[in-house]
Amino acid sequence: MAAPVLAIVIPCYNDSEALPISVARLTAILDRLIVADRVAEESYLLCVDDGSTDDTWAVISDLHERDTRIKGVALAHNRGQQYALIAGLTAVNGKCDAAVTIDADLQDDPEAIVAMTDLFLAGKEIVYGVRASRASDSWFKRTTARAFYRLQQRLGVDTIYDHADYRLMSSRAIEMLADYGESNLFLRGIIPQLGLDTGVVRYNRQERVAGRSKYSFTRMVSFSIDGITSFSAKPIRMIFLLGLALLCVDIVVAIYVFTSYFADKVIIGWTSLMLSIWFLGSVILMGIGIVGEYVGKIFNEVKHRPRYAIKTTLWD
Ligand code: UDP
Ligand code: MG
């Protein structure tokens, strides 16, 4: 059997500092795999510029000029990492036997690609890169990430613990992924749903090679909300259950109110009234917020808009 064509897809947003370093390391790994006859000579890298505002695209063009194995796709707007990834995977669909997606900052050890390729050659369709340690992440990022994975599992979202978007997918997996036309993308939730044979490679998460993280706290929160509301309707049920529980409390309150009334007690009642108004008000608002989250999703899905617009492509 001929060696498979491997594509390495790299989402890039304002990562012009990190790119030359990471592309050099990734091409070196690719060369090693080619020499060892593990992957085909036509294997390549694809940098997806996610609407960067710095000179990321100039850097990609420059790299492409020097080595045409480094290809590029530029999105017209900044759509976020998930969309840059799906744009890249769509671009390589049918043009490779397997694709690895990896961040431009090389926080995810690129050496794991070798082990991923080995598992692919052994027949695995999807290989997850899983963080063996998060020592280089801040305490805050580590704790919030852990809490997020746990919450997702509680809510019945099928994800892999401590796996982000560093993974290998076979051409078959990429083709199947193309059938998921949803606008609210959370790849980590979709990939396990493909139901293909999977493997795991462990690695240590490192510091960025250059530049700064593009995920602010608010972006992390909105990503987490997306990850849950795109896959689970449990939050709506929880609101309903909360309402039910409050109804039970209400019965007790009603009994208390009536006994006080018939006992002819003078009830000032201001405190309890204020407490109830505020408490119920917040519960109602929470409910509206959660329902609104889903309505927003329905709104996005029914529009069936393209998920991104490609501005330029560098290929041959
Ligand atoms: N990224 C992207 N679009 C964005 C934000 C980030 O394509 O809107 C890319 C970024 O260039 C990097 C990867 O996604 O390759 C992960 O981003 P980052 O390292 O900032 O996230 P962190 O590792 O801090 O979670
Ligand atoms: Mg990073």
Side-chain angles (χ1 to χ4, degrees):
M1 203 186 85
V5 174
L6 181 72
I8 300 180
V9 176
I10 314 157
C12 320
Y13 177 60
N14 292 350
D15 256 326
S16 60
E17 273 175 71
L19 258 181
I21 309 169
S22 35
V23 165
R25 278 195 62 191
L26 288 168
T27 8
I29 290 170
L30 209 55
D31 285 336
R32 250 167 48 212
L33 285 168
I34 292 169
V35 169
D37 211 23
R38 313 291 290 164
V39 305
E41 226 173 308
E42 308 85 73
S43 299
Y44 55 90
L45 266 64
L46 173 65
C47 304
V48 183
D49 178 8
D50 184 18
S52 298
T53 49
D54 69 350
D55 56 347
T56 295
W57 184 246
V59 171
I60 296 171
S61 312
D62 193 45
L63 289 165
H64 175 75
E65 217 144 88
R66 274 185 242 170
D67 183 352
T68 52
R69 288 188 306 170
I70 299 152
K71 305 179 191 304
V73 162
L75 303 191
H77 311 279
N78 178 230
R79 300 285 290 116
Q81 187 191 7
Q82 298 294 299
Y83 298 89
L85 283 171
I86 197 75
L89 288 171
T90 308
V92 303
N93 190 4
K95 297 190 180 82
C96 65
D97 297 304
V100 170
T101 50
I102 184 167
D103 289 355
D105 56 9
L106 296 192
Q107 282 195 281
D108 304 312
D109 185 6
E111 289 298 329
I113 293 176
V114 178
M116 286 182 178
T117 313
D118 283 344
L119 282 173
F120 170 69
L121 291 170
K124 299 288 181 210
E125 301 266 2
I126 294 166
V127 184
Y128 297 112
V130 171
R131 291 162 196 178
S133 111
R134 271 178 174 269
S136 68
D137 278 348
S138 68
W139 175 86
F140 182 73
K141 185 133 190 171
R142 222 161 38 224
T143 326
T144 48
R146 287 264 146 83
F148 173 54
Y149 285 112
R150 226 163 268 153
L151 179 66
Q152 270 199 325
Q153 246 141 33
R154 280 269 172 89
L155 292 174
V157 187
D158 187 14
T159 50
I160 313 295
Y161 195 74
D162 261 355
H163 157 71
D165 286 302
Y166 186 24
R167 69 177 84 81
L168 178 144
M169 294 175 76
S170 69
S171 53
R172 188 170 155 221
I174 298 168
E175 220 179 293
M176 285 171 79
L177 180 65
D179 290 335
Y180 285 75
E182 60 202 77
S183 301
N184 291 284
L185 258 195
F186 188 72
L187 289 170
R188 283 168 229 189
I190 300 173
I191 310 288
Q193 291 190 355
L194 300 177
L196 295 170
D197 201 8
T198 61
V200 164
V201 169
R202 291 181 181 279
Y203 65 91
N204 288 322
R205 179 126 163 121
Q206 283 139 17
E207 303 280 355
R208 266 181 158 268
V209 289
R212 283 174 44 215
S213 173
K214 310 298 178 298
Y215 277 92
S216 62
F217 178 67
T218 44
R219 234 175 146 162
M220 258 159 60
V221 170
S222 91
F223 185 54
S224 314
I225 292 174
D226 258 2
I228 288 164
T229 50
S230 297
F231 288 91
S232 166
K234 277 194 186 168
I236 287 186
R237 197 171 310 150
M238 272 155 58
I239 287 293
F240 173 74
L241 291 176
L242 188 66
L244 210 65
L246 277 179
L247 200 69
C248 298
V249 177
D250 258 8
I251 294 168
V252 180
V253 172
I255 292 168
Y256 169 72
V257 168
F258 278 119
T259 43
S260 311
Y261 177 75
F262 287 118
D264 247 357
K265 279 189 198 162
V266 182
I267 301 162
I268 297 161
W270 187 82
T271 322
S272 59
L273 201 63
M274 286 307 270
L275 280 176
S276 338
I277 289 169
W278 281 91
F279 180 62
L280 288 177
S282 66
V283 168
I284 291 165
L285 281 180
M286 265 169 55
I288 293 171
I290 291 184
V291 172
E293 187 72 35
Y294 286 93
V295 174
K297 293 230 138 102
I298 295 166
F299 179 58
N300 272 328
E301 297 295 344
V302 294
K303 280 190 291 192
H304 274 295
R305 279 189 186 159
R307 287 167 294 183
Y308 54 83
I310 288 181
K311 197 164 62 178
T312 341
T313 304
L314 287 181
W315 207 270
D316 297 312

